[in-house]
Amino acid sequence: MKKLQGAHLSKPIIPDLLMTPSDQGDVDLDVDFAADRGNWTGKLDFLLSCIGYCVGLGNVWRFPYRAYTNGGGAFLVPYFLMLAICGIPLFFLELSLGQFSSLGPLAVWKISPLFKGAGAAMLLIVGLVAIYYNMIIAYVLFYLFASLTSNLPWEHCGNWWNTDLCLEHRGSKDGNGALPLNLTSTVSPSEEYWSRYVLHIQGSRGIGSPGQIRWNLCLCLLLAWVIVFLCILKGVKSSGKVVYFTATFPYLILLMLLVRGVTLPGAWKGIQFYLTPQFHHLLSSKVWIEAALQIFYSLGVGFGGLLTFASYNTFHQNIYRDTFIVTLGNAITSILAGFAIFSVLGYMSQELGVPVDQVAKAGPGLAFVVYPQAMTMLPLSPFWSFLFFFMLLTLGLDSQFAFLETIVTAVTDEFPYYLRPKKAVFSGLICVAMYLMGLVLTTDGGMYWLVLLDDYSASFGLMVVVITTCLAVTRVYGIQRFCRDIHMMLGFKPGLYFRACWLFLSPATLLALLVYSIVKYQPSEYGSYRFPAWAELLGILMGLLSCLMIPAGMLVAVLREEGSLWERLQQASRPALDWGPSLEENRTGMYVATLAGSQSPKPLMVHMRKYGGITSFENTAIEVDREIAEEEESMM
C-alpha cells in the first residue's frame, strides 16, 4: 500500500474484517507492500523469461522426431492449426490472469475460490516435474564435463563398461561411399556409455530395486540445484537478469550447429527425410493428437509458470503482443532445431550406410546416445559436443527457473507477511527438499523412476487442470467480465477469435486429448523393460491426485461458507472481496468498492487529484465504468 496522502480526504470507518496492515495505526506506513513482492527490473526480463521457459529440451529432442514420424512437412499443418486453436488463446488467458491480479497460482483463485484446488493441483504437478527435470539437467552437466577432454569417452569400445556386443559404428569407406553395416545385433559405444556407465543400469533389477546411489550423478544433481538456487535467490530480480544469457545464447549455439550440420556430406538426406510432406498422414487422428500434445506441452500452459511470470509485470504491460512473439518464436525454434538435428542424422546415415530412420530416436535417446555418437564422427568432436550440451544446459535451466519460481511465488503469496521477508531462505529450503526427493533418480535404477515421473506427473492431470481453469474463468467468472478486465488492463477487448477459443474450441480440443489419452493408454516402458503393475498403479495415482485436488478444494471452499448447499456454492464461486488489480491506482469501476476504506463508487476524481491528469488508460476506465452502468440499467 502506498503512503497515505491528501489530508483533505475524510478518513472512513473501516470494518475490522476489511482492514489491511496499512490501515492499522501501529504499523509503519512507509512500507510499500505491493513493491515488496517484487517486479521485473527491465522491459525485456518478462519476454526473455517466457521465451526461455517455453523453448526447452522438448524443442530439440521431441518436435523433430514427432514431425518426421507424422508426415514430415505435412505435420506443420495440424501443428500450426493447433497452435491457433489451443496454444495462443490459452497462453494469453494465463498471462492475463497473472498480470491483472499480480498473484501466483494459488492466490489468483480469489477470482473464484471454489476452484482453488486447481491452483493446488498446478503446484503438485510442477513440483513433480521440477524433481525429475533437474535430473535431466544433471545428466547434461555430466556430459558437459565429460566433453572437456581430447577424446570423447564414448568414442571407442574397449572400456571397462563395454560388452562384447560393442561395435564402433563407423562406415568403412570405399570408392562408392560407405558400406552398409549390420547394426541389429550390435551396440554403439555411445549407447553403452549412456546405459552402463552414466546410468549404470545393470546394477538395478528394476524399479523396485534401484540399487546404489551413483555419487557422480549425485554431485551433478547437487550442482544443478545449487545453480538453480543461486539464479532464483532474489526472485525475478535475479532470474530476470540470468535469462538475458540463458534465453539468447542457445540460439547462437543452435545457429552454429545448424551451419555445421547443413555443410556435412549427406545432410540433405536427413533434412529431406525430416520435411518431405506425406499428406496422407493428415487423415489419421493420431497426427492431429500428436500436434496438439506438442503444442500443449511445449508452451508450458497449465504449469503456472506463465501466470507467475505475468504476475510480476506492470499492470499495462502489452502481453497481447508478447503472446504472439513467444508462441510463434517457440514454433520457429522447434522447426530450426529439426534442421540442426536431422542434418547431422543425415550425415550419420551416410557414414553408417543405413536409412535415416535407423539412427533417429526421440527423447533422451537422441540427446544422450545418437547425437553424442554423431559428434564422434566430426573433426574437433569435443568442441561440438561441449557446445551441444551447453545449449541443452541453458535450455533446461530456463524452464527449471520457472518451475521453482512458480512454487515459491504461489506459497509466498498465500502467506505474504510471513514468507516474503524470508523468500531467499524459503527458496533454499524448497531446493534442499527437492534435491533429497530426487536422490532416488541418481541410483542405478533411477532412470526407471524418471520415466515413471515423466509419463504420469503431467499427463491427464495437467489437461484436467487446464480445462478446469478455462471453464472456471469463462463460464463461472464470466467471459464478458474477463474481457472487461482485459479491456481495463490493455485498453481493448479480446476479439471474437479469442472468445470463441476460450468458450468452445480450446476446452473441446483438450477434452478430446484427454479422452484419447485414456482410450489409447499404454503402460510405461524403458527399452525392453516393462514396469510392474504396482508401478503403473503408482503412476496412475500420481496423475489422479492432482485431479482429486480440484473437488477437494471445492469441498473446503463450500464448508467455509454459510447457508444451504446452493447458497454456499454461489458464494464460493463469486470473486473474493479483494479480487482485482493489486495497486490502488489501477482499481476502477467495480473494483473500487473492494478497496478497504473506499467510499466513492466513482474514484476517478480522487485518482486525478492524487496523481494528476487523465491518461489513455484512465479514459479506458471511464469507458468501462460507462459499460457497467449501461449493463446495470438494462437489467433493471
Side-chain angles (χ1 to χ4, degrees):
M1 299 285 294
K2 291 188 175 294
K3 191 174 181 179
L4 297 179
Q5 298 176 354
H8 59 281
L9 297 177
S10 61
K11 185 174 181 180
I13 299 175
I14 309 167
D16 290 341
L17 290 176
L18 294 181
M19 293 181 77
T20 64
S22 61
D23 297 316
Q24 310 291 334
D26 297 329
V27 298
D28 183 6
L29 293 181
D30 289 330
V31 177
D32 189 341
F33 290 100
D36 187 53
R37 187 178 185 272
N39 288 100
W40 299 110
T41 55
K43 293 183 178 180
L44 285 177
D45 294 16
F46 167 72
L47 185 60
L48 290 177
S49 294
C50 285
I51 290 173
Y53 169 61
C54 296
V55 179
L57 299 173
N59 297 73
V60 174
W61 72 34
R62 187 173 288 119
F63 175 84
Y65 184 85
R66 276 188 168 163
Y68 101 82
T69 56
N70 291 287
F75 180 72
L76 298 180
V77 175
Y79 179 76
F80 279 102
L81 189 60
M82 289 301 171
L83 177 65
I85 293 175
C86 278
I88 294 174
L90 293 176
F91 196 96
F92 184 48
L93 182 143
E94 196 165 327
L95 290 186
S96 300
L97 272 179
Q99 181 166 303
F100 183 78
S101 63
S102 298
L103 295 172
L106 278 177
V108 76
W109 286 104
K110 290 179 180 180
I111 190 174
S112 184
L114 187 66
F115 296 94
K116 192 169 185 176
M122 272 185 188
L123 288 195
L124 175 63
I125 291 170
V126 81
L128 292 172
V129 170
I131 291 172
Y132 81 80
Y133 201 86
N134 224 27
M135 189 65 229
I136 298 175
I137 295 176
Y139 293 142
V140 172
L141 286 170
F142 191 99
Y143 272 83
L144 193 67
F145 294 137
S147 301
L148 298 173
T149 178
S150 56
N151 293 304
L152 295 175
W154 55 85
E155 186 172 355
H156 301 290
C157 297
N159 302 289
W160 66 261
W161 58 83
N162 293 126
T163 65
D164 295 336
L165 295 176
C166 182
L167 175 67
E168 296 180 21
H169 292 175
R170 291 173 177 270
S172 300
K173 293 292 185 78
D174 62 10
N176 298 321
L179 293 176
L181 293 175
N182 182 10
L183 307 179
T184 55
S185 59
T186 62
V187 182
S188 67
S190 62
E191 189 166 349
E192 288 203 337
Y193 180 82
W194 165 242
S195 62
R196 296 181 58 82
Y197 181 70
V198 179
L199 300 180
H200 199 257
I201 205 164
Q202 68 272 20
S204 168
R205 295 192 301 273
I207 192 171
S209 55
Q212 298 180 342
I213 287 180
R214 299 277 292 155
W215 291 106
N216 44 12
L217 288 180
C218 184
L219 292 175
C220 285
L221 182 62
L222 177 62
L223 177 60
W225 278 112
V226 169
I227 293 173
V228 170
F229 170 69
L230 292 177
C231 291
I232 67 166
L233 182 60
K234 295 183 179 179
V236 294
K237 291 185 182 297
S238 55
S239 65
K241 295 305 177 187
V242 175
V243 294
Y244 277 82
F245 175 76
T246 57
T248 56
F249 196 67
Y251 284 95
L252 177 61
I253 301 179
L254 184 62
L255 183 62
M256 293 175 66
L257 292 172
L258 176 62
V259 172
R260 184 67 187 101
V262 297
T263 56
L264 291 171
W268 177 246
K269 185 188 298 185
I271 294 174
Q272 186 178 23
F273 191 81
Y274 165 51
L275 284 183
T276 300
Q278 302 170 39
F279 289 105
H280 66 276
H281 279 272
L282 298 182
L283 300 176
S284 169
S285 60
K286 176 178 175 291
V287 175
W288 294 85
I289 296 295
E290 291 280 350
L293 286 173
Q294 179 62 28
I295 287 293
F296 184 68
Y297 286 112
S298 66
L299 290 179
V301 175
F303 288 96
L306 299 171
L307 196 152
T308 300
F309 283 161
S311 72
Y312 291 104
N313 279 342
T314 56
F315 189 69
H316 300 302
Q317 169 80 14
N318 191 352
I319 51 174
Y320 181 78
R321 173 201 60 200
D322 295 342
T323 293
F324 286 95
I325 291 175
V326 177
T327 54
L328 295 177
N330 176 70
I332 293 170
T333 303
S334 297
I335 296 170
L336 285 178
F339 280 103
I341 295 296
F342 271 86
S343 61
V344 175
L345 296 184
Y347 167 70
M348 281 186 69
S349 171
Q350 178 163 307
E351 287 290 299
L352 301 176
V354 298
V356 178
D357 59 354
Q358 289 190 25
V359 293
K361 289 184 179 180
L366 174 64
F368 299 116
V369 176
V370 178
Y371 213 82
Q373 181 187 348
M375 295 299 101
T376 64
M377 300 178 178
L378 298 176
L380 300 175
S381 55
F383 170 73
W384 294 108
S385 177
F386 181 86
L387 279 186
F388 176 71
F389 286 109
F390 192 76
M391 178 184 73
L392 291 187
L393 176 65
T394 51
L395 287 174
L397 284 176
D398 289 329
S399 300
Q400 189 68 4
F401 295 160
F403 296 150
L404 267 293
E405 192 61 52
T406 298
I407 297 170
V408 172
T409 296
V411 180
T412 52
D413 279 351
E414 280 294 291
F415 309 100
Y417 303 109
Y418 299 104
L419 292 181
R420 272 184 198 162
K422 301 175 183 177
K423 191 173 181 178
V425 175
F426 180 64
S427 300
L429 291 175
I430 293 289
C431 290
V432 170
M434 288 194 165
Y435 170 69
L436 294 175
M437 287 187 283
L439 284 179
V440 68
L441 304 177
T442 66
T443 60
D444 294 334
M447 178 53 67
Y448 299 131
W449 285 98
L450 190 147
V451 170
L452 193 71
L453 283 168
D454 186 36
D455 284 351
Y456 292 102
S457 61
S459 56
F460 58 89
L462 183 64
M463 294 184 198
V464 171
V465 168
V466 177
I467 292 171
T468 302
T469 301
C470 202
L471 294 179
V473 171
T474 59
R475 303 288 184 173
V476 180
Y477 182 67
I479 187 70
Q480 294 300 332
R481 205 185 226 175
F482 184 59
C483 289
R484 189 187 297 136
D485 291 345
I486 295 175
H487 187 192
M488 181 189 303
M489 184 170 61
L490 301 182
F492 62 89
K493 283 186 177 181
L496 178 61
Y497 158 65
F498 281 103
R499 294 200 299 271
C501 288
W502 290 335
L503 282 170
F504 306 109
L505 296 178
S506 297
T509 304
L510 292 177
L511 188 60
L513 282 179
L514 180 61
V515 172
Y516 180 86
S517 63
I518 294 173
V519 172
K520 296 290 185 178
Y521 168 76
Q522 292 181 342
S524 295
E525 57 185 42
Y526 180 70
S528 60
Y529 178 76
R530 299 296 181 269
F531 284 72
W534 67 265
E536 289 294 323
L537 181 61
L538 180 63
I540 293 172
L541 289 175
M542 194 188 306
L544 283 176
L545 184 58
S546 57
C547 298
L548 292 174
M549 283 190 167
I550 298 174
M554 290 180 173
L555 181 62
V556 171
V558 167
L559 291 176
R560 285 179 174 174
E561 303 296 340
E562 296 179 352
S564 65
L565 178 60
W566 177 246
E567 289 171 341
R568 289 176 181 229
L569 283 171
Q570 285 184 312
Q571 292 164 10
S573 63
R574 294 191 187 107
L577 285 175
D578 55 347
W579 164 251
S582 63
L583 294 179
E584 180 181 350
E585 58 265 31
N586 294 325
R587 287 183 176 253
T588 60
M590 70 180 78
Y591 294 107
V592 178
T594 65
L595 279 175
S598 293
Q599 289 184 317
S600 171
K602 300 289 182 183
L604 200 54
M605 293 302 104
V606 176
H607 180 91
M608 288 173 59
R609 287 198 296 269
K610 188 173 180 181
Y611 296 102
I614 297 181
T615 67
S616 60
F617 286 106
E618 285 150 16
N619 279 325
T620 299
I622 296 173
E623 186 179 338
V624 170
D625 286 351
R626 187 184 301 117
E627 287 180 6
I628 296 172
E630 289 173 356
E631 284 184 15
E632 290 174 349
E633 289 176 4
S634 64
M635 293 173 63
M636 293 178 63

